[in-house]
Amino acid sequence: MSGRVIGVLGGSGAVGRVAVDRLSRYGLGPLRVGGRDLGRARAVADGAPGGAAEAVRVDLGDPGSLAAYCEGCSIVVNCAGPSYQVLDTVARAALAAGADYVDAAGDAVALRALASDPPAALARRSAVFSAGLMPGLSGLLPRVLAESGPLERLDVYVGGAAAIGPLSAVDALLTRGPGFGSALAAWRGGRVVERALAPLRSVALPGFRGRVHAWPFLSAEAADLAAELGVGELRNYTVYVSEHIPEALARAWAADDLPVEEHVPSVVAAADADIAIGGPWYTLLFHARPRVRGGGAPTRLLLRTPDSYALSGVVAALAARALAEGAVPAGAHAASAVLDPRGVLDALSRDPLVDEVDLG
Amino acid sequence: MTSPSVSPPAPGPDGTDPVESVLAGIWAELLDLDTADLTPGSSFLRLGGDSVLAVRMAALVRKRLSVVLALSDVTVEITLARLADLVRRRRTHTGAVRELPLEVSRRADPAEPFPLMPLQQGYFVGQQGGWELSYDSAHFYADVGLTGVDGDEAADALTDALERLVEHQPTLRARVTPEGRQYVLDPGAPGAVPRLLVHDLRDAPADEVAATLARVREEMATSGPDPSRGPGLDIRLSLLPGDRGRLHTAMSLLVFDGWSSTVLNRELLTLSSDWNAVLPPLEIDFGDYVSALARLPETEAWAADRDWWWSRLDALPSPPALPLRTDPKDARPALMLTLERHLSPERWAALRRNCAERGVTPSTAMLTAFSVVLSRWAGHRSMLLNSLQLNRLPLHPDINRVVGAFASTMLIPMELPAGAVFADIAADTQRVFGEHAAHNLVSGVEVARELGRRLDTTRPVGPVVFQSTLGMDAALGEKHPASVGPLGEISFDDFYHQLRTPQVALEARVYELNDEMAVVFSLVEELFDPAEVDAAFTALVELAESLADGPGWDAPVELPEALDPQGAGLRLGLPGPDRVAEESGPLRGDTEQRVAEIWEELLDVPVLDRGADFFRLGGDSLLAVRALARLAGEAGLLLGVRDFLDAPTVAGVAAAARPAGETR
């Protein structure tokens, strides 16, 4: 593989910029920063701390442009969205060029799109989806709490105040229905139980600022995690600082006769209103109850960051490093299923974008 | 429909509430259910609703009932009844009309347990020991002299009357469970009828009579009836030489309020005086009322009152900073000291006339007078007082004839202006009192609980209490019967009483007896300097007399300069002892896990940190009692109330409860 580069698509965005920076610091070799705007991509490439980064203009909607970009890459890290449009397009281009693939977003639907009709290269190469915060860390980190034995219960709280851009808003609006998850549901006794949980309004949670609202949402990732670990009960909550976002989403979903784009401004505005309350911040909190008591293993993991998008870039870079180190088997995977939870946690606890990691 | 509403919604052709049936139709449509499956208490969530369907529901309500609901109102947890109430209010815009969509009716099962009312909870918790200013029993004891007693008939007449009264008033059969719920025994159940104890001293020498009476008084005043163990009423008859007698009664405050004790005494004496007397039947009992009130928090009116109080909490003053000689947390009172003086019938009549002339009630005048006395004693003019209120919501025509623990408290912030005359201060008090009393759907106990939570204290926030039952005799109609058949004649001037109320440092009471007005101080004696207590009580009586005689009204009232508490030393209303600050962090060890799990189930919120505080998580004193019971029963973790209060965090409780020898 010598002489090949690691490509970062969407490299001048909020996620990609950080992925470029970390990959460069990890010393994984020369980088290729791709973006629609060459000037912005070049600015990011020039700022790479480890040097040896080139900027390339690329248009995701143009198969020729994409194929040319992937040519010569050992790994393509995709930080461009929106996920619902990208799906497996970039993954297929990367694999066709003989590269491994990392997607900082890309949910179960994107993974399935690739896996349902796998290209031949997938027998030798890897494609890692959901290498971000949620999905991503939300499905990976709780595994640390299950290291020493099965869990009777696992509670997951992820959220805070984060900007939602117009493209992410579409992704958020589409996180409903088969393949994404189910509101108010919990995992109990080996299956999804609908309407098992009520929203927690105005509660205090460790690591979260002030009183927050926690909305039960059993994501596909959480259900998979529960099934894989054999967790008796899993409660997964998305946490908001106000009810602006859940209300905006509910309104949009109720008016499903309108095209999804119509609802984007209200979701963006709701997220902005949340940030106006106390700035951006984001917390991941996992709380476990082991089936066998008194073992002394850690039962709680807490991680705080000021910027959820930037931290997704770190996770994508860590996934790329795992690929480069040959730690990921061939095939299409979710990041949470193939990354080493402890290794990622250790790396994150040293990362300047993480305010706190507390495992106890 | 027996709600006090001015304009109850017209029932539909089938007798159902039209709003509720339209809403039930909307729910059935959205949730794909039959309307028969919907009950008023069903929540949208439980029936299969989610936030998306809630938005659609709001849209249908807008379309079919022309009512616009905010999304924040239509939560997924909303019940059909609450939604119906919301829609009715939005429709009529009659914010001022306190129409309560509550109906009191006979419960299907009269033996079914029902919750304690907020003040009952307070008394129940106060009986658990460990709380500041608590007693083994909260009760009222009284005895009264009788003359012309028919010694051979009196006991039988009273026993028979008691049996009939127990049948008539189910609360006489009330019991309280260890978890803090209550139920009514069947009239035929063993122990349902309190047993009359007779002390026959007709032939005893004078010194034995005196010694026995003193012993009975002491016994009944210090160990009151406890409905968690037996009847809430203890009744005894002493037969004395010379056809005299004494009737002793002790009533648990847990099941009887002040109004009830008056009703009970009257009915008992009416039945005792006449074997054939029949009391007008009651259509409802206390349990029916409490069960109807269970839906009060679902009403908009209740939510409005709560918001009204909550918005004022942070600005409430502290209690009068009376100088103390003992910290209340170290006091272990057995009895409260009682001071009592009466205004003669002439003066009491004059006081009523003067009050009427100034447009204030005698209760307001006495509350103002008490505040003035407190202000001078405490050295500041702004203070929080607590008051005991009858608080029977007029939900049924029989409500005032039912015996039960209806009473509640109400907090009143008093701010006495400097340099004003008494009449103006009283007028101001009347206005403030009325304004607060208009928001009585949320009780003072609940308000005090929230205030304690905000102040981060488990000490009583309203330890100085005012209670007036002036006007109650008039409200009850005919006067108290003086002649009671075989029991003879009641000597109203030979009346003794004792009160034990938890969480109270000082209580002033005014009541009418035999055309006189009685002024009473009940207090925890060891807290205060006796000379200061005497001076304050005398000042209150003198002020009342001066208001009866006239000059008290128009003279400027001398008050301290300071508005807020000043001065050093031990004073009432000081911030509580600092709670032990447990280090926050993940739960450690099995014991903390168990504590967290039990709290989580009780409080219905996540408990994920060892530093999480029971009261800040939303717990209250009754829930704390339940937590202690469950910790003991389910986890084998024993600890006292005091330990719990000293460190009410997961780690604190686990540490206090951890059996010796266990290390982690």
Side-chain angles (χ1 to χ4, degrees), chain B residues 128-129 131 598-599 602 614 621-634 637-645 653 657:
Chain B
Q128 308 297 311
W131 301 84
I598 288 172
W599 287 13
L602 273 171
F614 187 80
S621 51
L622 182 67
L623 287 167
V625 170
R626 290 193 181 146
L628 288 169
R630 292 190 58 175
L631 287 167
E634 292 167 27
L637 298 170
L638 296 171
L639 78 163
V641 171
R642 181 74 65 159
D643 296 329
F644 193 98
L645 295 180
V653 165

PDB file of all heavy atoms in Angstrom, chain B residues 128-129 131 598-599 602 614 621-634 637-645 653 657:
ATOM      1  N   GLN B 128     -43.435   9.380  62.722  1.00  0.00           N
ATOM      2  CA  GLN B 128     -42.431   8.345  62.498  1.00  0.00           C
ATOM      3  C   GLN B 128     -41.167   8.579  63.328  1.00  0.00           C
ATOM      4  O   GLN B 128     -40.269   7.766  63.299  1.00  0.00           O
ATOM      5  CB  GLN B 128     -42.024   8.281  61.012  1.00  0.00           C
ATOM      6  CG  GLN B 128     -43.185   8.168  60.048  1.00  0.00           C
ATOM      7  CD  GLN B 128     -43.982   6.897  60.237  1.00  0.00           C
ATOM      8  OE1 GLN B 128     -43.416   5.818  60.306  1.00  0.00           O
ATOM      9  NE2 GLN B 128     -45.300   7.025  60.342  1.00  0.00           N
ATOM     10  N   GLY B 129     -41.120   9.708  64.032  1.00  0.00           N
ATOM     11  CA  GLY B 129     -39.929   9.990  64.825  1.00  0.00           C
ATOM     12  C   GLY B 129     -38.799  10.460  63.933  1.00  0.00           C
ATOM     13  O   GLY B 129     -38.793  10.217  62.732  1.00  0.00           O
ATOM     14  N   TRP B 131     -38.040  13.318  62.777  1.00  0.00           N
ATOM     15  CA  TRP B 131     -38.202  14.623  62.152  1.00  0.00           C
ATOM     16  C   TRP B 131     -38.172  15.683  63.239  1.00  0.00           C
ATOM     17  O   TRP B 131     -38.476  15.418  64.396  1.00  0.00           O
ATOM     18  CB  TRP B 131     -39.536  14.685  61.405  1.00  0.00           C
ATOM     19  CG  TRP B 131     -39.657  13.648  60.362  1.00  0.00           C
ATOM     20  CD1 TRP B 131     -40.049  12.357  60.538  1.00  0.00           C
ATOM     21  CD2 TRP B 131     -39.346  13.785  58.971  1.00  0.00           C
ATOM     22  NE1 TRP B 131     -40.001  11.690  59.345  1.00  0.00           N
ATOM     23  CE2 TRP B 131     -39.583  12.530  58.377  1.00  0.00           C
ATOM     24  CE3 TRP B 131     -38.898  14.848  58.181  1.00  0.00           C
ATOM     25  CZ2 TRP B 131     -39.380  12.317  57.015  1.00  0.00           C
ATOM     26  CZ3 TRP B 131     -38.714  14.622  56.835  1.00  0.00           C
ATOM     27  CH2 TRP B 131     -38.940  13.369  56.262  1.00  0.00           C
ATOM     28  N   ILE B 598     -34.437   1.434  44.335  1.00  0.00           N
ATOM     29  CA  ILE B 598     -35.673   1.658  45.098  1.00  0.00           C
ATOM     30  C   ILE B 598     -36.130   3.107  44.938  1.00  0.00           C
ATOM     31  O   ILE B 598     -37.310   3.387  44.744  1.00  0.00           O
ATOM     32  CB  ILE B 598     -35.464   1.250  46.577  1.00  0.00           C
ATOM     33  CG1 ILE B 598     -35.399  -0.274  46.652  1.00  0.00           C
ATOM     34  CG2 ILE B 598     -36.574   1.792  47.464  1.00  0.00           C
ATOM     35  CD1 ILE B 598     -35.015  -0.835  47.997  1.00  0.00           C
ATOM     36  N   TRP B 599     -35.195   4.033  44.978  1.00  0.00           N
ATOM     37  CA  TRP B 599     -35.556   5.444  44.782  1.00  0.00           C
ATOM     38  C   TRP B 599     -36.130   5.663  43.390  1.00  0.00           C
ATOM     39  O   TRP B 599     -37.080   6.400  43.197  1.00  0.00           O
ATOM     40  CB  TRP B 599     -34.336   6.337  44.963  1.00  0.00           C
ATOM     41  CG  TRP B 599     -33.903   6.485  46.387  1.00  0.00           C
ATOM     42  CD1 TRP B 599     -34.312   5.740  47.453  1.00  0.00           C
ATOM     43  CD2 TRP B 599     -32.982   7.440  46.910  1.00  0.00           C
ATOM     44  NE1 TRP B 599     -33.690   6.165  48.590  1.00  0.00           N
ATOM     45  CE2 TRP B 599     -32.873   7.203  48.295  1.00  0.00           C
ATOM     46  CE3 TRP B 599     -32.227   8.454  46.328  1.00  0.00           C
ATOM     47  CZ2 TRP B 599     -32.044   7.970  49.110  1.00  0.00           C
ATOM     48  CZ3 TRP B 599     -31.393   9.221  47.145  1.00  0.00           C
ATOM     49  CH2 TRP B 599     -31.313   8.980  48.521  1.00  0.00           C
ATOM     50  N   LEU B 602     -39.632   4.565  43.281  1.00  0.00           N
ATOM     51  CA  LEU B 602     -40.518   5.422  44.062  1.00  0.00           C
ATOM     52  C   LEU B 602     -40.712   6.789  43.412  1.00  0.00           C
ATOM     53  O   LEU B 602     -41.793   7.362  43.448  1.00  0.00           O
ATOM     54  CB  LEU B 602     -39.929   5.644  45.460  1.00  0.00           C
ATOM     55  CG  LEU B 602     -40.264   4.627  46.529  1.00  0.00           C
ATOM     56  CD1 LEU B 602     -39.414   4.901  47.758  1.00  0.00           C
ATOM     57  CD2 LEU B 602     -41.742   4.719  46.903  1.00  0.00           C
ATOM     58  N   PHE B 614     -32.326  12.763  47.515  1.00  0.00           N
ATOM     59  CA  PHE B 614     -33.705  12.259  47.477  1.00  0.00           C
ATOM     60  C   PHE B 614     -34.714  13.387  47.306  1.00  0.00           C
ATOM     61  O   PHE B 614     -35.650  13.282  46.518  1.00  0.00           O
ATOM     62  CB  PHE B 614     -33.994  11.500  48.774  1.00  0.00           C
ATOM     63  CG  PHE B 614     -35.327  10.795  48.781  1.00  0.00           C
ATOM     64  CD1 PHE B 614     -35.479   9.578  48.138  1.00  0.00           C
ATOM     65  CD2 PHE B 614     -36.420  11.345  49.430  1.00  0.00           C
ATOM     66  CE1 PHE B 614     -36.701   8.920  48.149  1.00  0.00           C
ATOM     67  CE2 PHE B 614     -37.651  10.690  49.436  1.00  0.00           C
ATOM     68  CZ  PHE B 614     -37.790   9.476  48.802  1.00  0.00           C
ATOM     69  N   SER B 621     -41.528  13.951  52.241  1.00  0.00           N
ATOM     70  CA  SER B 621     -41.384  13.227  53.496  1.00  0.00           C
ATOM     71  C   SER B 621     -42.149  11.902  53.499  1.00  0.00           C
ATOM     72  O   SER B 621     -41.693  10.914  54.053  1.00  0.00           O
ATOM     73  CB  SER B 621     -41.828  14.111  54.659  1.00  0.00           C
ATOM     74  OG  SER B 621     -43.103  14.649  54.396  1.00  0.00           O
ATOM     75  N   LEU B 622     -43.329  11.878  52.864  1.00  0.00           N
ATOM     76  CA  LEU B 622     -44.079  10.622  52.832  1.00  0.00           C
ATOM     77  C   LEU B 622     -43.328   9.581  52.001  1.00  0.00           C
ATOM     78  O   LEU B 622     -43.223   8.418  52.388  1.00  0.00           O
ATOM     79  CB  LEU B 622     -45.483  10.835  52.259  1.00  0.00           C
ATOM     80  CG  LEU B 622     -46.349   9.573  52.226  1.00  0.00           C
ATOM     81  CD1 LEU B 622     -46.689   9.094  53.629  1.00  0.00           C
ATOM     82  CD2 LEU B 622     -47.632   9.794  51.442  1.00  0.00           C
ATOM     83  N   LEU B 623     -42.782  10.033  50.883  1.00  0.00           N
ATOM     84  CA  LEU B 623     -42.009   9.111  50.052  1.00  0.00           C
ATOM     85  C   LEU B 623     -40.762   8.645  50.798  1.00  0.00           C
ATOM     86  O   LEU B 623     -40.320   7.509  50.624  1.00  0.00           O
ATOM     87  CB  LEU B 623     -41.635   9.788  48.724  1.00  0.00           C
ATOM     88  CG  LEU B 623     -42.814   9.951  47.752  1.00  0.00           C
ATOM     89  CD1 LEU B 623     -42.450  10.909  46.621  1.00  0.00           C
ATOM     90  CD2 LEU B 623     -43.238   8.609  47.181  1.00  0.00           C
ATOM     91  N   ALA B 624     -40.229   9.523  51.639  1.00  0.00           N
ATOM     92  CA  ALA B 624     -39.062   9.121  52.428  1.00  0.00           C
ATOM     93  C   ALA B 624     -39.438   7.995  53.384  1.00  0.00           C
ATOM     94  O   ALA B 624     -38.685   7.032  53.551  1.00  0.00           O
ATOM     95  CB  ALA B 624     -38.506  10.320  53.196  1.00  0.00           C
ATOM     96  N   VAL B 625     -40.613   8.099  53.990  1.00  0.00           N
ATOM     97  CA  VAL B 625     -41.074   7.030  54.882  1.00  0.00           C
ATOM     98  C   VAL B 625     -41.235   5.737  54.092  1.00  0.00           C
ATOM     99  O   VAL B 625     -40.843   4.658  54.534  1.00  0.00           O
ATOM    100  CB  VAL B 625     -42.405   7.429  55.561  1.00  0.00           C
ATOM    101  CG1 VAL B 625     -43.020   6.248  56.290  1.00  0.00           C
ATOM    102  CG2 VAL B 625     -42.178   8.591  56.522  1.00  0.00           C
ATOM    103  N   ARG B 626     -41.791   5.861  52.894  1.00  0.00           N
ATOM    104  CA  ARG B 626     -41.959   4.662  52.054  1.00  0.00           C
ATOM    105  C   ARG B 626     -40.608   4.095  51.636  1.00  0.00           C
ATOM    106  O   ARG B 626     -40.420   2.884  51.576  1.00  0.00           O
ATOM    107  CB  ARG B 626     -42.778   4.993  50.811  1.00  0.00           C
ATOM    108  CG  ARG B 626     -44.215   5.261  51.168  1.00  0.00           C
ATOM    109  CD  ARG B 626     -45.127   5.290  49.956  1.00  0.00           C
ATOM    110  NE  ARG B 626     -46.473   5.583  50.416  1.00  0.00           N
ATOM    111  CZ  ARG B 626     -47.369   6.292  49.723  1.00  0.00           C
ATOM    112  NH1 ARG B 626     -47.057   6.753  48.528  1.00  0.00           N
ATOM    113  NH2 ARG B 626     -48.556   6.521  50.224  1.00  0.00           N
ATOM    114  N   ALA B 627     -39.668   4.989  51.344  1.00  0.00           N
ATOM    115  CA  ALA B 627     -38.333   4.529  50.956  1.00  0.00           C
ATOM    116  C   ALA B 627     -37.710   3.745  52.104  1.00  0.00           C
ATOM    117  O   ALA B 627     -37.127   2.675  51.894  1.00  0.00           O
ATOM    118  CB  ALA B 627     -37.455   5.713  50.562  1.00  0.00           C
ATOM    119  N   LEU B 628     -37.853   4.262  53.315  1.00  0.00           N
ATOM    120  CA  LEU B 628     -37.289   3.561  54.473  1.00  0.00           C
ATOM    121  C   LEU B 628     -37.916   2.175  54.626  1.00  0.00           C
ATOM    122  O   LEU B 628     -37.226   1.197  54.890  1.00  0.00           O
ATOM    123  CB  LEU B 628     -37.524   4.386  55.751  1.00  0.00           C
ATOM    124  CG  LEU B 628     -36.673   5.647  55.865  1.00  0.00           C
ATOM    125  CD1 LEU B 628     -37.160   6.521  57.010  1.00  0.00           C
ATOM    126  CD2 LEU B 628     -35.215   5.267  56.098  1.00  0.00           C
ATOM    127  N   ALA B 629     -39.246   2.112  54.420  1.00  0.00           N
ATOM    128  CA  ALA B 629     -39.932   0.828  54.558  1.00  0.00           C
ATOM    129  C   ALA B 629     -39.444  -0.153  53.491  1.00  0.00           C
ATOM    130  O   ALA B 629     -39.204  -1.329  53.765  1.00  0.00           O
ATOM    131  CB  ALA B 629     -41.441   1.026  54.448  1.00  0.00           C
ATOM    132  N   ARG B 630     -39.264   0.345  52.280  1.00  0.00           N
ATOM    133  CA  ARG B 630     -38.847  -0.562  51.201  1.00  0.00           C
ATOM    134  C   ARG B 630     -37.380  -0.962  51.339  1.00  0.00           C
ATOM    135  O   ARG B 630     -37.019  -2.094  51.021  1.00  0.00           O
ATOM    136  CB  ARG B 630     -39.106   0.086  49.841  1.00  0.00           C
ATOM    137  CG  ARG B 630     -40.605   0.215  49.577  1.00  0.00           C
ATOM    138  CD  ARG B 630     -40.890   0.622  48.168  1.00  0.00           C
ATOM    139  NE  ARG B 630     -40.325  -0.332  47.202  1.00  0.00           N
ATOM    140  CZ  ARG B 630     -40.534  -0.234  45.886  1.00  0.00           C
ATOM    141  NH1 ARG B 630     -41.281   0.736  45.413  1.00  0.00           N
ATOM    142  NH2 ARG B 630     -40.007  -1.101  45.076  1.00  0.00           N
ATOM    143  N   LEU B 631     -36.559  -0.031  51.797  1.00  0.00           N
ATOM    144  CA  LEU B 631     -35.150  -0.374  52.013  1.00  0.00           C
ATOM    145  C   LEU B 631     -35.045  -1.499  53.031  1.00  0.00           C
ATOM    146  O   LEU B 631     -34.249  -2.426  52.867  1.00  0.00           O
ATOM    147  CB  LEU B 631     -34.368   0.849  52.499  1.00  0.00           C
ATOM    148  CG  LEU B 631     -34.087   1.918  51.445  1.00  0.00           C
ATOM    149  CD1 LEU B 631     -33.602   3.206  52.099  1.00  0.00           C
ATOM    150  CD2 LEU B 631     -33.045   1.425  50.446  1.00  0.00           C
ATOM    151  N   ALA B 632     -35.890  -1.407  54.061  1.00  0.00           N
ATOM    152  CA  ALA B 632     -35.854  -2.439  55.095  1.00  0.00           C
ATOM    153  C   ALA B 632     -36.437  -3.743  54.568  1.00  0.00           C
ATOM    154  O   ALA B 632     -35.846  -4.805  54.713  1.00  0.00           O
ATOM    155  CB  ALA B 632     -36.628  -1.969  56.326  1.00  0.00           C
ATOM    156  N   GLY B 633     -37.589  -3.651  53.920  1.00  0.00           N
ATOM    157  CA  GLY B 633     -38.309  -4.846  53.510  1.00  0.00           C
ATOM    158  C   GLY B 633     -37.657  -5.571  52.340  1.00  0.00           C
ATOM    159  O   GLY B 633     -37.586  -6.796  52.328  1.00  0.00           O
ATOM    160  N   GLU B 634     -37.174  -4.823  51.363  1.00  0.00           N
ATOM    161  CA  GLU B 634     -36.698  -5.468  50.142  1.00  0.00           C
ATOM    162  C   GLU B 634     -35.193  -5.655  50.106  1.00  0.00           C
ATOM    163  O   GLU B 634     -34.697  -6.548  49.438  1.00  0.00           O
ATOM    164  CB  GLU B 634     -37.116  -4.635  48.911  1.00  0.00           C
ATOM    165  CG  GLU B 634     -38.609  -4.644  48.703  1.00  0.00           C
ATOM    166  CD  GLU B 634     -39.039  -3.586  47.692  1.00  0.00           C
ATOM    167  OE1 GLU B 634     -38.224  -3.231  46.818  1.00  0.00           O
ATOM    168  OE2 GLU B 634     -40.184  -3.112  47.801  1.00  0.00           O
ATOM    169  N   LEU B 637     -32.052  -3.261  54.469  1.00  0.00           N
ATOM    170  CA  LEU B 637     -31.234  -2.123  54.904  1.00  0.00           C
ATOM    171  C   LEU B 637     -32.007  -1.315  55.925  1.00  0.00           C
ATOM    172  O   LEU B 637     -33.048  -0.750  55.626  1.00  0.00           O
ATOM    173  CB  LEU B 637     -30.890  -1.240  53.711  1.00  0.00           C
ATOM    174  CG  LEU B 637     -30.055  -1.892  52.613  1.00  0.00           C
ATOM    175  CD1 LEU B 637     -29.986  -0.996  51.395  1.00  0.00           C
ATOM    176  CD2 LEU B 637     -28.653  -2.183  53.139  1.00  0.00           C
ATOM    177  N   LEU B 638     -31.487  -1.292  57.142  1.00  0.00           N
ATOM    178  CA  LEU B 638     -32.183  -0.580  58.202  1.00  0.00           C
ATOM    179  C   LEU B 638     -31.499   0.741  58.497  1.00  0.00           C
ATOM    180  O   LEU B 638     -30.288   0.804  58.618  1.00  0.00           O
ATOM    181  CB  LEU B 638     -32.192  -1.430  59.479  1.00  0.00           C
ATOM    182  CG  LEU B 638     -32.962  -2.745  59.381  1.00  0.00           C
ATOM    183  CD1 LEU B 638     -32.716  -3.598  60.606  1.00  0.00           C
ATOM    184  CD2 LEU B 638     -34.454  -2.479  59.211  1.00  0.00           C
ATOM    185  N   LEU B 639     -32.306   1.810  58.586  1.00  0.00           N
ATOM    186  CA  LEU B 639     -31.768   3.068  59.082  1.00  0.00           C
ATOM    187  C   LEU B 639     -32.919   3.933  59.560  1.00  0.00           C
ATOM    188  O   LEU B 639     -34.072   3.706  59.188  1.00  0.00           O
ATOM    189  CB  LEU B 639     -30.908   3.800  58.040  1.00  0.00           C
ATOM    190  CG  LEU B 639     -31.564   4.575  56.918  1.00  0.00           C
ATOM    191  CD1 LEU B 639     -30.540   5.509  56.308  1.00  0.00           C
ATOM    192  CD2 LEU B 639     -32.077   3.648  55.847  1.00  0.00           C
ATOM    193  N   GLY B 640     -32.602   4.897  60.411  1.00  0.00           N
ATOM    194  CA  GLY B 640     -33.640   5.736  61.001  1.00  0.00           C
ATOM    195  C   GLY B 640     -33.922   6.952  60.148  1.00  0.00           C
ATOM    196  O   GLY B 640     -33.149   7.305  59.254  1.00  0.00           O
ATOM    197  N   VAL B 641     -35.061   7.578  60.447  1.00  0.00           N
ATOM    198  CA  VAL B 641     -35.449   8.787  59.728  1.00  0.00           C
ATOM    199  C   VAL B 641     -34.352   9.843  59.842  1.00  0.00           C
ATOM    200  O   VAL B 641     -33.986  10.497  58.870  1.00  0.00           O
ATOM    201  CB  VAL B 641     -36.773   9.345  60.293  1.00  0.00           C
ATOM    202  CG1 VAL B 641     -37.066  10.714  59.708  1.00  0.00           C
ATOM    203  CG2 VAL B 641     -37.914   8.384  60.019  1.00  0.00           C
ATOM    204  N   ARG B 642     -33.805   9.966  61.035  1.00  0.00           N
ATOM    205  CA  ARG B 642     -32.792  11.000  61.282  1.00  0.00           C
ATOM    206  C   ARG B 642     -31.563  10.783  60.386  1.00  0.00           C
ATOM    207  O   ARG B 642     -31.026  11.712  59.812  1.00  0.00           O
ATOM    208  CB  ARG B 642     -32.420  10.974  62.774  1.00  0.00           C
ATOM    209  CG  ARG B 642     -31.408  12.003  63.191  1.00  0.00           C
ATOM    210  CD  ARG B 642     -31.954  13.413  63.272  1.00  0.00           C
ATOM    211  NE  ARG B 642     -32.946  13.572  64.302  1.00  0.00           N
ATOM    212  CZ  ARG B 642     -33.278  14.761  64.834  1.00  0.00           C
ATOM    213  NH1 ARG B 642     -32.676  15.860  64.453  1.00  0.00           N
ATOM    214  NH2 ARG B 642     -34.215  14.845  65.739  1.00  0.00           N
ATOM    215  N   ASP B 643     -31.148   9.515  60.279  1.00  0.00           N
ATOM    216  CA  ASP B 643     -29.997   9.199  59.421  1.00  0.00           C
ATOM    217  C   ASP B 643     -30.303   9.594  57.977  1.00  0.00           C
ATOM    218  O   ASP B 643     -29.471  10.135  57.263  1.00  0.00           O
ATOM    219  CB  ASP B 643     -29.694   7.692  59.438  1.00  0.00           C
ATOM    220  CG  ASP B 643     -29.270   7.218  60.804  1.00  0.00           C
ATOM    221  OD1 ASP B 643     -28.656   8.029  61.521  1.00  0.00           O
ATOM    222  OD2 ASP B 643     -29.558   6.063  61.153  1.00  0.00           O
ATOM    223  N   PHE B 644     -31.533   9.277  57.578  1.00  0.00           N
ATOM    224  CA  PHE B 644     -31.956   9.573  56.204  1.00  0.00           C
ATOM    225  C   PHE B 644     -31.898  11.073  55.961  1.00  0.00           C
ATOM    226  O   PHE B 644     -31.391  11.548  54.945  1.00  0.00           O
ATOM    227  CB  PHE B 644     -33.373   9.043  55.999  1.00  0.00           C
ATOM    228  CG  PHE B 644     -33.829   8.989  54.568  1.00  0.00           C
ATOM    229  CD1 PHE B 644     -33.772   7.805  53.854  1.00  0.00           C
ATOM    230  CD2 PHE B 644     -34.317  10.120  53.931  1.00  0.00           C
ATOM    231  CE1 PHE B 644     -34.192   7.742  52.538  1.00  0.00           C
ATOM    232  CE2 PHE B 644     -34.731  10.076  52.612  1.00  0.00           C
ATOM    233  CZ  PHE B 644     -34.668   8.879  51.907  1.00  0.00           C
ATOM    234  N   LEU B 645     -32.409  11.844  56.917  1.00  0.00           N
ATOM    235  CA  LEU B 645     -32.470  13.299  56.746  1.00  0.00           C
ATOM    236  C   LEU B 645     -31.090  13.939  56.802  1.00  0.00           C
ATOM    237  O   LEU B 645     -30.838  14.947  56.152  1.00  0.00           O
ATOM    238  CB  LEU B 645     -33.352  13.924  57.824  1.00  0.00           C
ATOM    239  CG  LEU B 645     -34.824  13.534  57.761  1.00  0.00           C
ATOM    240  CD1 LEU B 645     -35.580  14.209  58.884  1.00  0.00           C
ATOM    241  CD2 LEU B 645     -35.419  13.928  56.413  1.00  0.00           C
ATOM    242  N   VAL B 653     -27.275   7.466  52.388  1.00  0.00           N
ATOM    243  CA  VAL B 653     -28.201   6.464  52.911  1.00  0.00           C
ATOM    244  C   VAL B 653     -27.548   5.089  52.920  1.00  0.00           C
ATOM    245  O   VAL B 653     -27.662   4.340  53.888  1.00  0.00           O
ATOM    246  CB  VAL B 653     -29.511   6.471  52.086  1.00  0.00           C
ATOM    247  CG1 VAL B 653     -30.340   5.229  52.352  1.00  0.00           C
ATOM    248  CG2 VAL B 653     -30.303   7.733  52.396  1.00  0.00           C
ATOM    249  N   ALA B 657     -26.868   2.914  56.252  1.00  0.00           N
ATOM    250  CA  ALA B 657     -27.600   1.657  56.386  1.00  0.00           C
ATOM    251  C   ALA B 657     -26.684   0.446  56.322  1.00  0.00           C
ATOM    252  O   ALA B 657     -27.080  -0.628  56.702  1.00  0.00           O
ATOM    253  CB  ALA B 657     -28.629   1.536  55.264  1.00  0.00           C
TER     254      ALA B 657
END
